[in-house]
Amino acid sequence: MTTNRDQKADTKQTEDLLVDAPFLEDIRRQMIKFATLQLGDNNLAEDAVQEALIGALKNASSFGGRAALKTWIFAILKNKIADTLRYKQRSVNVSSLLREEDEDEAFSELFDRKGFWQQDERPVAWGNPEASLRENHFWNMFEACLERLPPKQGRVFMMREFLELDADEICTTMNLTTSNLHVLLHRSRLRLRECIENKWYLQGERND
Amino acid sequence: MINCRNVTRLLSEAQERPLSITERVLLKLHVAMCSGCQNFKDQMGTLRLMTRAYAKRKSDHDE
């Protein structure tokens, strides 16, 4: 149980952090990047970040320092992003959807006419990824690969794997049928996998 | 034999829904003979692990 006074002290501490300019600027920059990646729109991202920060300030209590506060702010931001995506379903851009749906050609580079791997596109063994996950290099590459996904594929992939929404919820939000969703996820995984393999595993785990 | 393209589709869908017995058998037979699809299969789990680690990193660490 926290007493009233403890809570007040914690609130004060959180407020101090939120008016600490370098801390705030740093976290804001990361949040914008994070939100833009998922919303595919700078203005919407700015709005979501703004609201998340205001929410954080309004409800500031019991945060034992920067790490906890940051985790919490990002949790709020994730919710804001999910809300924004739900709202956005009404304005899905039909032409961009059609363009992305019609990219079978791109995958003829991966598979031959009978649907078997092209010789030089056959996935290689990645081995245990643990060591890679500790390298900053790796994460820069990973982020670059995510950003390179076609917008709609990137968005559903992030909703599924990053926000960990279930398939039904994504379909409702994005106004997709289940089979649309499966197609988009399949393509995003093929692409992302290929990008990671080319930029990391076939580079001798170096990315200079 | 089911081709690699369809195998990758099923392996991707397995992340969203339970596969039927027929689908599982078809996959097993193919993957046993195809190293590319075997690697792809392992990578589906790895991609999920990486993306969650990325999410955690985003919220836990300073850049």
Side-chain angles (χ1 to χ4, degrees):
Chain A
M1 288 298 282
T2 37
T3 66
N4 233 346
R5 214 164 83 191
D6 286 344
Q7 224 162 36
K8 242 183 185 161
D10 284 337
T11 303
K12 178 79 174 65
Q13 192 192 10
T14 305
E15 282 170 356
D16 287 348
L17 280 175
L18 285 173
V19 295
D20 170 358
F23 173 75
L24 191 62
E25 201 31 61
D26 186 44
I27 201 170
R28 218 182 88 85
R29 192 173 45 77
Q30 291 178 46
M31 289 167 84
I32 297 270
K33 204 169 169 190
F34 175 94
T36 306
L37 189 59
Q38 287 166 85
L39 294 171
D41 181 311
N42 239 322
N43 293 330
L44 289 177
E46 294 268 359
D47 290 348
V49 168
Q50 194 70 26
E51 285 181 40
L53 283 173
I54 290 169
L57 190 56
K58 209 184 278 173
N59 302 303
S61 66
S62 56
F63 284 94
R66 292 170 182 233
L69 176 63
K70 196 171 164 188
T71 303
W72 188 61
I73 290 179
F74 269 84
I76 296 178
L77 181 59
K78 271 188 169 188
N79 284 332
K80 291 282 170 220
I81 290 170
D83 285 350
T84 306
L85 287 171
R86 278 183 201 109
Y87 181 75
K88 241 181 118 181
Q89 81 183 79
R90 282 164 231 168
S91 54
V92 173
N93 181 336
V94 178
S95 67
S96 80
L97 194 145
L98 289 176
R99 189 157 22 96
E100 280 185 38
E101 297 288 323
D102 189 26
E103 62 167 359
D104 278 357
E105 270 175 50
F107 292 107
S108 67
E109 284 167 25
L110 297 182
F111 301 105
D112 65 20
R113 291 170 69 165
K114 289 183 172 167
F116 293 90
W117 292 109
Q118 300 279 14
Q119 194 63 37
D120 52 354
E121 298 290 349
R122 195 183 298 263
V124 302
W126 286 1
N128 186 339
E130 289 291 314
S132 303
L133 302 193
R134 282 193 293 273
E135 293 195 45
N136 283 329
H137 255 26
F138 175 84
W139 293 112
N140 293 338
M141 174 281 302
F142 186 80
E143 196 160 78
C145 286
L146 279 177
E147 283 166 6
R148 198 175 296 178
L149 289 174
K152 199 171 173 90
Q153 283 175 34
R155 217 165 297 147
V156 293
F157 181 83
M158 292 302 272
M159 289 173 93
R160 180 73 187 114
E161 302 292 358
F162 193 109
L163 298 175
E164 300 182 36
L165 302 181
D166 65 29
D168 288 344
E169 181 160 24
I170 301 172
C171 286
T172 313
T173 302
M174 301 288 285
N175 202 12
L176 296 170
T177 64
T178 305
S179 82
N180 287 157
L181 176 69
H182 287 163
V183 168
L184 287 169
L185 286 171
H186 178 217
R187 287 174 179 175
S188 67
R189 287 173 178 136
L190 277 169
R191 271 178 194 275
L192 188 58
R193 184 215 76 72
E194 190 197 11
C195 183
I196 293 172
E197 184 159 301
N198 290 341
K199 299 219 172 298
W200 190 257
Y201 292 97
L202 299 179
Q203 305 286 323
E205 308 217 352
R206 276 269 81 96
N207 181 28
D208 298 319
Chain B
M1 188 165 97
I2 175 174
N3 67 26
C4 300
R5 196 190 164 123
N6 289 329
V7 165
T8 62
R9 186 176 55 76
L10 283 180
L11 289 171
S12 173
E13 286 188 29
Q15 305 283 312
E16 273 74 57
R17 66 173 177 91
L19 299 180
S20 71
I21 292 191
T22 316
E23 288 169 332
R24 291 210 301 270
V25 171
L26 285 171
L27 274 186
K28 207 160 225 174
L29 289 173
H30 179 104
V31 166
M33 295 190 307
C34 175
S35 66
C37 287
Q38 174 65 60
N39 291 330
F40 185 92
K41 180 176 183 234
D42 296 340
Q43 289 162 10
M44 287 300 94
T46 306
L47 273 188
R48 178 159 284 181
L49 188 140
M50 282 173 176
T51 312
R52 292 195 177 160
Y54 173 74
K56 189 158 161 29
R57 193 182 153 86
K58 276 279 161 200
S59 50
D60 287 357
H61 293 252
D62 289 316
E63 271 180 5

